[in-house]
Amino acid sequence: MANNVFEENNEHHQEKLFSPVKDLPPRIDEKLQNHWSTHFYQHIFTQIDETKFGRLYHDGYSRPNKPVNELVSLEIIKHLLDLSDEELEYAYIFDFRVRNALGKETLGDNICEKTFTNFRRRLMEHEEETGQDLLHEVFEDHRSYFQDEFEIDASTQRMDSTFIEANIKQLSRVDLLAKVLHNFLCDLPKEIVQELPAGIDEFADTDNLELSYQLEPGEIPATMETLAEHTAWLVDRFEDDDEYAELESFAHLQQVLDEQCYRIAEFEDDEDVDDSDDQRQPGDDSSPDWQPLRTYTSPEEKTETDQSEENTELSGEDTDDRSDHVGLKEPDAIDSGSLQNPHDEEATYRYKNGEDYHGYKANVAETCNGENPFRLITAIRVDTNNTDDGDLLDEDIPELSAETGLRDLLVDGGYTHKEVEKRCRDQEITQHFSGITGQRPAEEKMSLAAPEWDGTRMVACPAGHEPFDQNHYETGRISGKMEKEFCDGCPHRENCFVKEQQQHYSYGFRERRVEIAQRRKRLDDPAEQEFLKLRAGAESLINEMYHKDGEKATFTGKIKVKNGSIAKAIGRNLKRASGFLESEAKREKSAG
């Protein structure tokens, strides 16, 4: 995996006898001590456990690795200062702020952009092979250190999510088909491309990309059908050819065919068709529509008539003897996890509030106790953008409870998730929802939160009576029976959820309805409404982390996008801590 041997970096502990720092005037030195770069060295750089990264490097004889604490720190600084890799390279060499953050007192050593990309590749490959997320472990260590060092109470936190646009061009369906076809053709030797059926080879030319801008709207459907036919033919032709079937471009070709198209049943001879098929009822999928597989011939074997018909098909015009063997799925039948662009095969599609998103989703939490010196980002997760908020929260529940002491979590209605809510309760975490999805029950109907409940057992109805028979089933259904003598003259009878039977009154509903009703009741409590005002700051957290919804990712691929967000979260925490330390220094100076 690597061509370097691992060595820990202890050079920064060795103070130099002579350096420009030693000659700084007192007032300038004071500014340096209160600068973010010094805080970075003290609270980020020196806290990085390099030994965790030793497995990324060789044990044998080789040149030493670039210090891991420097590489991790540079990833954080890249996002802290919003630098490109080229700018980061020059900042490492010439920018004293960056040098100071890495514990360096002088200029003199070099680095190149490839060092950054190689380190990211090692991190990605290690996570793919082992499942160990080394950069997230750095974040966990950093969070624990900051919480202890600055005595931060993390019992109350707020959480929000946002979309991260993938660093790809949004492709229409016709452009996606053309792109994967083009990529595979470019990977084939030219002599093979020249032997392909006439029309296919045209898509090796970049002029036939971005067809959505070249075609009239009426021409697009027929062109898509032609592209689908070409794609299916190439998949059938090369799927058993190991030399080409193992190419990434072929995998994309096959993936798009599977996700965007469906096969129409093929028969070798019309005589094989069962006449009973004509009696098939509409909507019966047991015998789908079919047409024979189109027979392709090489350009040399085509007659002028054949070539004319082929050219007509490629132009999008219908012909009487056209015989497709693949069909295009309806847009709503295509999974949101389908390939959006071969440049980033992990990016997914999401439609929300009238907007299209292609890429990933970030989930972030921070402390919001007003007594803390600053707000600490406590959780950062990134996944595909078709992942539910509740699933993202689920990954952090045990950690946030055990490691940070979380007890009250403020979220919006998007985090409603039955199993996740149960796990929060098991970890003694109370979720406070700022809103609830679904319609509010009619005012005249009694709320299921009106009775007194002990879990799923009704202790007393609104009139103060306990059911004489109660059941709670594994399916989550609750049922019970009430004495007639209690219900017949009850003032709540008309609005109550019980139904009259011959010998008694009964009720039955799923426990989830009780949970939602109790949640609505809490939302109506003025004290809860006041507490939920803390949730409003979650939007500023997202803006601070990502500036705006849909910010484009710097990298492609889920792991790299995730690692970028982790580095950004650590950098934001450092900036907050640095602001607090600087204000404290000014306050102490004024007091003195």
Side-chain angles (χ1 to χ4, degrees):
M1 179 187 294
N3 57 3
N4 299 91
V5 63
F6 174 74
E7 286 187 6
E8 287 190 69
N9 172 28
N10 295 310
E11 183 181 346
H12 61 99
H13 292 303
Q14 301 169 5
E15 187 176 353
K16 295 184 180 296
L17 291 176
F18 304 100
S19 74
V21 176
K22 299 291 190 299
D23 298 326
L24 290 176
R27 290 185 62 185
I28 302 300
D29 183 64
E30 181 182 348
K31 288 185 176 182
L32 178 61
Q33 296 309 311
N34 290 317
H35 192 258
W36 70 260
S37 60
T38 300
H39 300 150
F40 189 104
Y41 172 75
Q42 294 170 341
H43 301 293
I44 301 291
F45 183 83
T46 59
Q47 302 304 316
I48 295 171
D49 184 358
E50 290 187 280
T51 60
K52 291 183 177 181
F53 295 81
R55 65 197 67 187
L56 300 183
Y57 300 90
H58 281 309
D59 294 329
Y61 176 78
S62 181
R63 61 180 179 177
N65 63 290
K66 196 70 176 175
V68 168
N69 50 11
E70 290 188 11
L71 293 174
V72 173
S73 295
L74 286 169
E75 284 295 298
I76 298 169
I77 291 171
K78 172 183 173 69
H79 295 280
L80 181 64
L81 301 182
D82 193 23
L83 303 176
S84 66
D85 280 357
E86 182 181 15
E87 291 169 332
L88 186 62
E89 174 188 347
Y90 284 100
Y92 177 85
I93 299 171
F94 300 119
D95 191 331
F96 184 74
R97 298 175 304 170
V98 174
R99 307 288 295 181
N100 187 50
L102 303 181
K104 295 177 178 291
E105 298 181 13
T106 61
L107 305 180
D109 47 343
N110 195 14
I111 201 168
C112 64
E113 287 186 51
K114 191 174 181 181
T115 304
F116 308 139
T117 57
N118 285 342
F119 183 62
R120 293 180 196 125
R121 174 181 54 79
R122 289 190 179 102
L123 287 174
M124 180 184 68
E125 291 175 352
H126 178 76
E127 185 171 345
E128 288 175 340
E129 292 171 7
T130 68
Q132 184 183 24
D133 189 343
L134 290 172
L135 206 58
H136 195 266
E137 290 185 13
V138 171
F139 173 78
E140 292 171 338
D141 293 342
H142 147 84
R143 178 189 61 204
S144 296
Y145 168 80
F146 266 48
Q147 195 172 345
D148 292 341
E149 180 72 12
F150 295 98
E151 299 180 349
I152 293 176
D153 178 3
S155 60
T156 302
Q157 299 179 31
R158 56 192 172 206
M159 179 176 283
D160 204 358
S161 65
T162 188
F163 294 128
I164 306 174
E165 280 294 284
N167 190 14
I168 55 175
K169 181 177 181 180
Q170 295 186 12
L171 299 178
S172 65
R173 289 181 74 185
V174 66
D175 288 336
L176 176 62
L177 286 163
K179 181 67 175 176
V180 295
L181 185 63
H182 169 81
N183 288 352
F184 180 64
L185 293 175
C186 288
D187 283 345
L188 292 176
K190 289 184 178 180
E191 57 270 21
I192 292 182
V193 174
Q194 291 171 355
E195 294 175 359
L196 295 177
I200 294 182
D201 59 327
E202 294 180 11
F203 290 94
D205 190 340
T206 55
D207 290 341
N208 281 319
L209 294 176
E210 299 186 350
L211 293 175
S212 57
Y213 295 101
Q214 303 173 21
L215 300 172
E216 295 294 330
E219 298 175 315
I220 291 178
T223 303
M224 287 178 63
E225 292 174 4
T226 298
L227 287 165
E229 284 288 313
H230 290 342
T231 301
W233 190 89
L234 287 169
V235 168
D236 292 343
R237 163 65 179 80
F238 291 100
E239 63 182 348
D240 294 324
D241 189 328
D242 292 341
E243 183 177 359
Y244 302 112
E246 294 179 359
L247 293 171
E248 182 181 52
S249 58
F250 181 81
H252 291 159
L253 194 75
Q254 195 165 35
Q255 182 179 353
V256 167
L257 180 65
D258 293 340
E259 293 171 346
Q260 299 280 340
C261 310
Y262 61 89
R263 295 277 187 168
I264 298 174
E266 302 160 9
F267 295 87
E268 293 182 358
D269 195 322
D270 289 347
E271 295 178 0
D272 294 337
V273 180
D274 186 350
D275 292 338
S276 64
D277 186 58
D278 295 335
Q279 307 302 317
R280 183 169 47 84
Q281 297 299 314
D284 181 3
D285 295 330
S286 60
S287 302
D289 295 336
W290 66 272
Q291 289 177 308
L293 174 66
R294 179 191 297 168
T295 302
Y296 282 96
T297 55
S298 67
E300 291 78 6
E301 294 173 335
K302 283 185 178 288
T303 63
E304 290 185 5
T305 301
D306 292 332
Q307 187 64 59
S308 175
E309 291 175 352
E310 182 68 26
N311 290 338
T312 301
E313 289 186 3
L314 289 172
S315 69
E317 298 176 13
D318 293 329
T319 59
D320 294 337
D321 60 348
R322 179 172 180 164
S323 52
D324 297 338
H325 72 289
V326 291
L328 289 160
K329 293 181 181 179
E330 292 298 321
D332 58 4
I334 300 172
D335 190 85
S336 63
S338 63
L339 185 69
Q340 303 298 304
N341 187 316
H343 186 57
D344 187 346
E345 59 187 26
E346 293 181 290
T348 54
Y349 171 78
R350 181 75 178 268
Y351 180 81
K352 184 177 181 180
N353 298 330
E355 296 284 342
D356 291 321
Y357 298 92
H358 300 75
Y360 302 92
K361 178 189 279 188
N363 194 57
V364 196
E366 69 174 358
T367 60
C368 54
N369 188 317
E371 302 301 318
N372 287 323
F374 57 89
R375 293 172 287 118
L376 178 69
I377 297 174
T378 56
I380 176 72
R381 293 282 176 183
V382 171
D383 212 322
T384 53
N385 68 8
N386 58 356
T387 305
D388 289 337
D389 289 345
D391 292 330
L392 289 169
L393 165 59
D394 193 28
E395 296 186 64
D396 284 312
I397 290 172
E399 182 183 309
L400 288 176
S401 174
E403 301 298 327
T404 73
L406 172 64
R407 290 297 170 262
D408 292 284
L409 179 63
L410 294 93
V411 292
D412 61 28
Y415 289 86
T416 303
H417 194 295
K418 183 179 179 181
E419 289 74 19
V420 177
E421 290 170 36
K422 181 181 184 303
R423 273 190 278 278
C424 281
R425 290 193 296 270
D426 292 343
Q427 295 288 333
E428 299 182 346
I429 297 173
T430 300
Q431 287 178 278
H432 300 265
F433 294 89
S434 61
I436 297 176
T437 56
Q439 292 184 343
R440 177 181 282 271
E443 290 291 337
E444 65 273 11
K445 291 294 183 181
M446 180 184 293
S447 168
L448 292 181
E452 181 183 348
W453 294 91
D454 180 8
T456 58
R457 187 178 72 86
M458 187 187 296
V459 177
C461 73
H465 305 295
E466 183 179 358
F468 70 83
D469 182 36
Q470 298 191 60
N471 292 286
H472 177 222
Y473 303 96
E474 291 184 0
T475 59
R477 183 172 175 78
I478 298 172
S479 68
K481 300 175 182 178
M482 303 291 295
E483 297 284 2
K484 274 217 165 193
E485 61 179 294
F486 297 141
C487 295
D488 280 340
C490 180
H492 305 294
R493 173 66 191 88
E494 290 186 6
N495 300 328
C496 191
F497 46 78
V498 297
K499 295 182 179 179
E500 185 176 8
Q501 309 295 334
Q502 286 187 347
Q503 304 296 326
H504 57 266
Y505 283 80
S506 68
Y507 61 84
F509 34 75
R510 294 197 173 274
E511 62 180 296
R512 184 65 173 165
R513 290 183 58 194
V514 178
E515 293 174 0
I516 298 299
Q518 291 173 331
R519 189 178 303 163
R520 288 191 187 279
K521 184 178 179 180
R522 286 197 302 271
L523 274 175
D524 293 334
D525 184 347
E528 181 73 2
Q529 292 174 2
E530 184 66 26
F531 184 66
L532 283 169
K533 289 181 180 179
L534 292 172
R535 175 67 178 53
E539 293 184 7
S540 65
L541 165 65
I542 294 299
N543 288 332
E544 186 180 353
M545 278 285 292
Y546 296 102
H547 305 297
K548 61 180 181 178
D549 269 359
E551 177 192 309
K552 210 149 197 168
T554 306
F555 306 108
T556 58
K558 186 172 73 174
I559 292 178
K560 289 183 180 179
V561 173
K562 168 186 64 64
N563 286 347
S565 286
I566 291 172
K568 185 179 294 187
I570 297 173
R572 299 316 299 179
N573 278 342
L574 182 279
K575 188 171 183 179
R576 293 173 175 184
S578 183
F580 165 72
L581 291 170
E582 186 175 354
S583 63
E584 283 292 287
K586 289 179 179 178
R587 184 182 62 80
E588 290 176 5
K589 185 177 180 180
S590 299

